Amino acid sequence: MSNGMDLDNESQITLSRTIDAHIDDVFKAWTDPALIEQWQADEAELDAFEGGEYKFTTFGDDEDPEDHTVSGEILAFVENEKLVMSWVHKDAEDAEDDLIFVLDIRFKAIGTEQTQITLTERGLAHADAESRIFSIEAWSAALEHLAEVLE
């Protein structure tokens, strides 16, 4: 398992991770709601096709009592190759503070039991250093959790 990170420019981050799992399993973990609920969200809905919609909700806890929901559209869906999604995080109090990104995930088989994931997140909010750091840390933690579930 290896990690990589590339700060491409102020509006984009790219992370790479090699996971010790077959590409079929890794792709399903991103597109099957039951599997998404094991590593990324408490509740997941996803139409696994181009043009489909999705909604992921993470419930609040003692540290952060507010539920967080991201939703959007599947912009590209090529099984075991790529998944591109609009990624909209709604601010419950102020619609002007909604965070809107495009999430581009590429999958590449390395042998039969390893998969490289390259995740690129693009959005205007990354012109802000604090937002970039938060996204990098959040996606790094998510990919770590995904690896724990699959390996």
Side-chain angles (χ1 to χ4, degrees):
M1 144 175 76
S2 66
N3 300 334
M5 178 176 51
D6 181 20
L7 302 177
D8 298 328
N9 60 46
E10 293 183 357
S11 64
Q12 177 173 307
I13 60 171
T14 301
L15 293 95
S16 293
R17 173 79 186 235
T18 299
I19 295 180
D20 293 331
H22 192 276
I23 195 167
D24 290 339
D25 296 330
V26 177
F27 191 80
K28 282 180 192 168
W30 281 90
T31 57
D32 180 329
L35 295 173
I36 293 166
E37 290 173 357
Q38 292 181 31
W39 71 276
Q40 189 174 4
D42 294 313
E43 283 184 355
E45 301 169 22
L46 186 136
D47 299 324
F49 55 86
E50 193 167 313
E53 296 182 351
Y54 75 91
K55 179 178 172 185
F56 302 157
T57 301
T58 303
F59 301 138
D61 56 22
D62 291 339
E63 221 175 271
D64 182 6
E66 186 178 326
D67 291 351
H68 295 277
T69 299
V70 293
S71 60
E73 182 181 347
I74 308 299
L75 304 174
F77 185 99
V78 180
E79 191 166 343
N80 294 347
E81 277 185 43
K82 75 177 174 179
L83 179 63
V84 181
M85 315 161 79
S86 61
W87 189 264
V88 181
H89 181 269
K90 298 277 187 193
D91 186 306
E93 296 175 11
D94 187 356
E96 289 184 20
D97 286 340
D98 289 353
L99 297 177
I100 303 170
F101 302 101
V102 172
L103 191 63
D104 185 328
I105 308 113
R106 304 294 170 126
F107 304 83
K108 180 180 178 185
I110 302 174
T112 57
E113 293 301 321
Q114 283 191 318
T115 304
Q116 180 181 32
I117 298 173
T118 301
L119 180 147
T120 302
E121 181 185 85
R122 294 183 297 274
L124 295 176
H126 288 311
D128 171 290
E130 186 176 311
S131 170
R132 288 168 56 81
I133 291 167
F134 176 81
S135 284
I136 291 165
E137 290 175 349
W139 281 118
S140 293
L143 292 175
E144 177 68 25
H145 195 195
L146 173 63
E148 290 170 3
V149 167
L150 292 177
E151 294 180 346

